[in-house]
Structures are given as structure tokens and as C-alpha cells.
Amino acid sequence: MTCKVLVVCGSPVVASADLLRRLAGECDHVVAVDRGLDALLGAGLGCDVYVGDADTVSDAGRALVDAAEAFEVERHDPYKDYTDLALALDSVRRRWPGAEVIATCATGGRPDMALSVLGLLAGYEDAPVWIAEDETTARILRAGESWTIEGAEDKTFSIIAIAPGTVVSEHGLEWELDHSPLGLLADTGISNVVKGTAKIDVHQGTAIAFLLREGFIGTVG
């Protein structure tokens, strides 16, 4: 069985306590990325590993990091060449090779950081990568990967190419595609509608697929 790791990022826009508790319950390990620790504490949760430079975590969170009794700490100098999330993904690779990653508190706040987060998660090629927020669940799909979506009729679905030369197929949606090219960051796949059991295949390149709102079951192929 694939190990699942919840990575709670340091976005100032945090996931709800209910979502954090659900995700933590579904995962084998929890990694807090800098002020992601505060989001976990606010939901009454802890973590297995803290990664960051502690420059944005609260005073209470920093005190826990300094004490380092309930979890492991990988603390880094603020004057570093990599973001805390990049270091956290490296930690996941070292500790749990081949682990599936579910990231949350990842895409709110600064748009430049959101783009960087998507790029870093797309570069994690060890296993499936999900982004789970309160209103959206996203899946990064690389060549040869697919996502089957069930129980999501009438939900909004979008797919965006994040690598040149991306080719996709979509079935079970209002507008279907069959081995169709998607331009890099183009709007071709925006705001589709799920009509039944949907399957999305990426044949070439890399894309990020978004399902808006909760209440669905997804499987990875």
C-alpha cells in the first residue's frame, strides 16, 4: 500500500479545521511547512515533522519548534536558496520514498507563491500529487497518468497544461476531448461540467486538473 503524506503548506489562507482533520486522518504522516504548523494547531492537530525557517510561524508555534518534543524538526536558515516547501518535499523523499503527497494550505495568498507551489508539486515525480482545499481538489497529471472521478455529476471541472506539448483526453464531461493538445496555460480546458463517471488521461506533457467543490470520490490510474 502506498504511503500517504499530508503536507500542510505555509499559505496565509488556511484550510478549514474540518478539512485538515479529515486529511490528517486519511494520511500516514503529516509534515508542517513553516506556518502550516499554526493551521494544524488551530485544528487541534500535530505533525510528525516540521520543516522551515520559522520566520512566519506564530510565537506559540515557534516555541513548540524550539522545544521539539512532540515532532522532528528540520529547521533551516532564512537566508537559503530554496523555499520551505522545496525542502519539505526533499524531506518526504528521504523519509518515505515513493510516498503519495496531499498538499493543503497551498494556493492562497500571493499569486507568485501559488505558481511556485504548483511548479514544485509538479516536479515531485515520485508518486501521485493532490492539492486539497475546501472548495477545490486538484490532481497533477503527468504523461501516462489518469484520474477517474465518480459521484461528481454537475460539478465544475478544469484542466490546464503546465508543460509544453501536453495532450489530453476527457470523457464523461459535457465537452469531451480525444488526444487533444492543450496550449501551455491556455484556457481550452476551463469550466467543463462532469456528466457521469469521468476519466481524464494525459498522454503527453503535464497538466493540473481541478474539481471544484467537495463531495466526490476520485481514483488514480
Side-chain angles (χ1 to χ4, degrees):
M1 182 179 293
T2 302
C3 172
K4 292 185 178 182
V5 178
L6 175 62
V7 177
V8 184
C9 303
S11 167
V13 180
V14 302
S16 67
D18 286 343
L19 177 62
L20 286 169
R21 285 191 285 264
R22 178 174 67 79
L23 294 174
E26 295 172 356
C27 292
D28 302 288
H29 305 284
V30 178
V31 176
V33 182
D34 210 352
R35 73 173 134 200
L37 179 60
D38 291 327
L40 287 165
L41 294 175
L45 299 168
C47 63
D48 298 296
V49 181
Y50 172 89
V51 181
D53 52 24
D55 65 341
T56 60
V57 72
S58 66
D59 291 342
R62 189 177 299 108
L64 289 177
V65 171
D66 291 339
E69 294 180 351
F71 50 86
E72 295 187 60
V73 172
E74 294 185 18
R75 190 163 183 172
H76 298 272
D77 191 304
Y79 298 97
K80 58 189 186 302
D81 295 328
Y82 303 98
T83 64
D84 291 329
L85 177 58
L87 296 168
L89 292 174
D90 284 342
S91 180
V92 171
R93 290 186 181 98
R94 292 195 316 269
R95 293 171 180 273
W96 308 290
E100 184 172 341
V101 166
I102 297 89
T104 190
C105 304
T107 56
R110 289 168 43 181
D112 56 338
M113 292 297 294
L115 286 172
S116 174
V117 165
L118 293 179
L120 287 168
L121 293 174
Y124 181 87
E125 299 180 352
D126 308 57
V129 177
W130 300 85
I131 302 170
E133 308 292 1
D134 285 290
E135 298 300 328
T136 306
T137 296
R139 168 84 164 89
I140 291 174
L141 294 166
R142 305 176 193 87
E145 295 181 335
S146 64
W147 183 11
T148 300
I149 302 170
E150 299 173 306
E153 286 80 4
D154 298 322
K155 302 293 186 184
T156 300
F157 174 87
S158 295
I159 188 167
I160 300 170
I162 54 175
T166 296
V167 177
V168 307
S169 293
E170 299 178 342
H171 299 286
L173 303 174
E174 185 166 353
W175 295 279
E176 297 192 336
L177 299 174
D178 186 10
H179 289 79
S180 299
L182 290 183
L184 179 63
L185 299 179
D187 61 355
T188 308
I190 294 292
S191 294
N192 211 330
V193 180
V194 178
K195 290 315 219 181
T197 297
K199 186 178 181 185
I200 295 85
D201 295 283
V202 172
H203 307 291
Q204 298 176 32
T206 305
I208 181 166
F210 297 87
L211 185 65
L212 277 63
R213 306 188 187 92
E214 295 182 331
F216 76 100
I217 300 171
T219 58
V220 179

